[in-house]
Amino acid sequence: MRRTIQRLAALALVAAPAGVSAQTLPAPLDDAAYVAVDPEAAALGRLLFYDPILSGNREVACATCHHPAFGTSDGLSLPLGDGGRGLGPARVVDPGNAPEQRVPRNSQALWNLGAREYVSLFHDGRVEIDAAQPGGMRTPLDADMLEGFDSMLSAQTMFPVLSPDEMAGHYSENEVAQAVRLGRLTGPGGAWELIARRVAAIPDYARSFETLYDLAPEEIGFTDISNVIAAFMAHEFRSDTSPFDARLRDGTPLAPEAEAGLALFYGEAGCAECHSGPLQTDHGFHAMAVPQLGPGKGARFETHARDEGRFRVTGRVEDLHAFRTPSLRNVALTAPYGHAGAHASLRDFVADHLDPAAALGRYDRAQAVLPEMDAADWRILDDPAETAAIGAAATRTPLDLAPAEIDALVAFLEALTDPVAKTGRLGIPETVPSGLPVPMPMP
């Protein structure tokens, strides 16, 4: 190996608090970095976030796939939404209502989505700020997208409730899924309106919306529901009190191994070239040859299993297999990793990131966390041409690090874990106004 453990020890000495310049590290986060949140709106959004009333079959809540017990993800490589039972890695297919397919992409963590610097959301950035568009945002629905959103974060909540495999269910099962199948999203009888009427029919929700927004039950729209859920996410999942934040604010040193990892991350390992800024993301899109498994991300009429990432949004060849740079806040809590959740181990993911194209060829499929299901999960990795295309798109220059240096990088990433992330601010409600079960992991 090019470096030795002695080299790492020397690096740790160099990486003392004064050793990494203030110009190298990002500025600390403060209140100005975030949108202001109405605490009453957040309290109402908390109930709706955990309430399965928003799903077609009244069985899946936002929290089913974004639960704090799993770092606001779900602990699976690819989620099981509608048609699943249980939570996290213990979730299984419901034999009486099996889903048609797995959800195509890993459930993203929700940390700091209320930060003002966010300009796009989802793995491919398909919801993004665009001043040239009506309402200032570009979304896949274009003209069908409603107005009245408080933020981009609010707008993105409109989409999971329309997905058959996430929350809507399938057209033979409920009126929301039928409306989606017929293309009726807005207006009377549209999917969003049907969900809003469900919520408005629950007295506790109706009273809360009247108190907050002076809305009569018949005036409550899904945009109002989206706005309070976004307020909750922005409040509950703000995360800026990790050991790394203390390091930025007052120079409190990390543990020696984490300090060595910090020096590598912001130095010769080059991690900060993409994972830049206080949230460790440049908000850009990069092809990193991350293994792709599952059904892929195509239109319903397409039969391939590819996930071409940002290309499906922009149509630009240079965006093939490029995905959004994820924030690394609380990353140690959010396994599995990658847009398809191919890696269960953070250390293995970091190691493979050093030379992603080469790592793709030796990927260990045992790392995938996939509940048993009748699904063709390996169509892409079983196809040499498809795998070669993913590898060829990679833009990362290979880097050689010693095992101890990889360990140091992981130690630094673990220093991004915020104690508040494990407890929450408002926490999980014991009950919700619909009376439906609150998603909770098995003890």
Side-chain angles (χ1 to χ4, degrees), residues 58-151:
R58 297 175 172 85
E59 294 178 349
V60 179
C62 304
T64 303
C65 294
H66 298 283
H67 202 284
F70 308 103
T72 69
S73 183
D74 66 350
L76 298 173
S77 295
L78 299 175
L80 282 181
D82 180 80
R85 291 179 177 173
L87 206 64
R91 192 163 175 80
V92 297
V93 168
D94 180 353
N97 177 31
E100 290 186 3
Q101 63 179 25
R102 302 186 198 275
V103 177
R105 289 174 177 162
N106 181 254
S107 180
Q108 289 190 291
L110 304 180
W111 305 111
N112 291 315
L113 296 186
R116 297 182 186 277
E117 70 176 69
Y118 271 89
V119 293
S120 65
L121 294 170
F122 293 114
H123 287 285
D124 55 12
R126 63 188 182 275
V127 173
E128 58 189 328
I129 298 296
D130 185 344
Q133 299 298 320
M137 285 179 286
R138 184 160 71 103
T139 79
L141 294 178
D142 295 328
D144 284 333
M145 198 66 181
L146 302 174
E147 296 184 358
F149 299 106
D150 287 344
S151 64

Side-chain angles (χ1 to χ4, degrees), residues 41 61 115 146 148-149 164 182 186 190 210 237 247 288 294 296 299 305 318 325 361 369 371 377 379 395 413:
L146 302 174
F149 299 106
L182 294 172
T186 62
E210 182 177 18
F237 304 130
R247 176 72 164 79
M288 294 296 293
E318 59 266 33
T325 306
V369 184
D377 292 319
R379 286 176 60 190
T395 56
L413 295 177

Side-chain angles (χ1 to χ4, degrees), residues 48-62 64 81-83 91 160-170 173-177 191 194-196 198-199 222 434 436-437 439:
L48 287 160
F49 183 87
Y50 286 97
D51 199 332
I53 193 68
L54 302 185
S55 63
N57 289 325
R58 297 175 172 85
E59 294 178 349
V60 179
C62 304
T64 303
D82 180 80
R91 192 163 175 80
V161 298
L162 302 180
S163 169
D165 294 307
E166 292 183 56
M167 295 183 73
H170 295 274
E173 298 171 347
N174 65 77
E175 75 283 8
V176 173
L194 290 171
I195 298 171
R198 285 185 186 180
V199 171
F222 198 81
S434 70
L436 293 167

